[in-house]
Amino acid sequence: MFVTFEGIDGSGKSTQLRLLADHLQAKGHEVIVTREPGGSKGAEDIRRLLVEGDPGRWSAETEILLFTAARRDHVERLIQPGLAAGAIVVSDRFADSTRVYQGATRGDLRATVDALHARMIAMEPDLTLVIDMDPDAALARGLARQSGEDRFEDFGAAFQRKLRDGFLALTEEYPDRVRLVDGSRDREAVAADVAAIVDAALAARPS
Ligand code: ADP
Ligand code: TYD
């Protein structure tokens, strides 16, 4: 099973991904934890080009190409081999981030994102958890980390609000795989919801 976490910066995706991996490992599953942009050597190299530096460093069109190149390497070298070996692959972000960050926020580039995805990636997660929360609170959490990877946070609060709307719209576009989780609560409450959704999805799969 391929599970992804999505949501605005600072919403708690990485935290919830780690807690979910612990939960699944404790139940005896083999779990591969990964992230985008990144997850393979080549994709991690591309990541540095994308998340550091000036907000204006790349146009949205150039970003689409770089994120898709990174994703292709990640899919070829980690995600597909992991799924083929029977692991549960859990990724912090995947193609939905490109649909929202590049496809819907700076001009309507969604058709370009979709065409490139169909041509170069052509796979979707089995389950996507959108961790939803207020952008101002999330921005405060994210910037508090001072990770040096703040290029997208630096687009500002209005950009984060557009992103949130984009992620909410995904739950309507892909109702079968995208589930919304209220990320504004404490870690344990969010993690309990996430675990319940994933456990139910696992139980519903043909064995
Ligand atoms: P993301 O991966 O979505 O950017 P993180 O999981 O890195 O988010 O969380 C961003 C910051 O908020 C981190 O400092 C993290 O420790 C903190 N955090 C995560 N979840 C919660 C929560 N439920 N309540 C309060 N703080 C949280
Ligand atoms: P990430 O490390 O998940 O950031 P955060 O922990 O702050 O949520 O992702 C790095 C940044 O890259 C993030 O701001 C979102 C952005 N991004 C895109 O714009 N498009 C994409 O396709 C992906 C995967 C990420």
Side-chain angles (χ1 to χ4, degrees):
M1 185 157 89
F2 180 31
V3 181
T4 58
F5 282 85
E6 297 282 0
I8 60 176
D9 305 277
S11 57
K13 297 178 304 300
S14 324
T15 303
Q16 292 304 323
L17 185 144
R18 280 192 300 275
L19 293 171
L20 175 65
D22 292 347
H23 169 76
L24 292 173
Q25 277 158 351
K27 289 179 64 181
H29 294 286
E30 197 200 324
V31 182
I32 295 175
V33 168
T34 187
R35 68 167 180 181
E36 288 208 349
S40 60
K41 164 84 177 67
E44 290 288 336
D45 288 345
I46 296 171
R47 176 186 179 94
R48 278 188 288 281
L49 298 173
L50 282 159
V51 299
E52 295 173 9
D54 229 46
R57 183 177 185 183
W58 310 109
S59 70
E61 288 84 351
T62 311
E63 278 173 15
I64 293 169
L65 293 167
L66 288 168
F67 279 113
T68 306
R71 182 162 306 129
R72 174 77 196 204
D73 194 63
H74 187 207
V75 167
E76 281 178 7
R77 290 170 198 260
L78 187 83
I79 297 175
Q80 289 291 16
L83 294 173
I88 300 177
V89 178
V90 189
S91 184
D92 190 344
R93 299 192 185 279
F94 190 66
D96 292 320
S97 280
T98 317
R99 292 182 177 116
V100 173
Y101 279 77
Q102 282 71 42
T105 50
R106 283 170 291 160
D108 187 4
L109 291 172
R110 181 59 195 273
T112 307
V113 170
D114 287 347
L116 207 55
H117 180 81
R119 181 84 190 173
M120 284 296 152
I121 309 297
M123 69 178 290
E124 298 295 342
D126 297 298
L127 180 64
T128 297
L129 299 142
V130 170
I131 310 296
D132 179 56
M133 71 174 287
D134 171 62
D136 293 327
L139 198 62
R141 277 188 192 172
L143 290 176
R145 283 178 304 184
Q146 299 206 318
S147 63
E149 293 191 336
D150 296 333
R151 182 168 163 259
F152 285 92
E153 278 97 331
D154 290 346
F155 278 101
F159 182 73
Q160 296 291 328
R161 279 192 284 277
K162 263 195 192 175
L163 293 173
R164 184 194 201 178
D165 292 344
F167 284 116
L168 291 176
L170 287 176
T171 61
E172 283 160 34
E173 188 177 352
Y174 302 103
D176 292 345
R177 77 171 164 86
V178 180
R179 302 288 303 272
L180 199 65
V181 177
D182 174 4
S184 67
R185 300 163 297 156
D186 64 50
R187 288 172 179 77
E188 291 69 28
V190 180
D193 279 10
V194 167
I197 292 169
V198 175
D199 286 347
L202 280 168
R205 285 172 75 81
S207 50

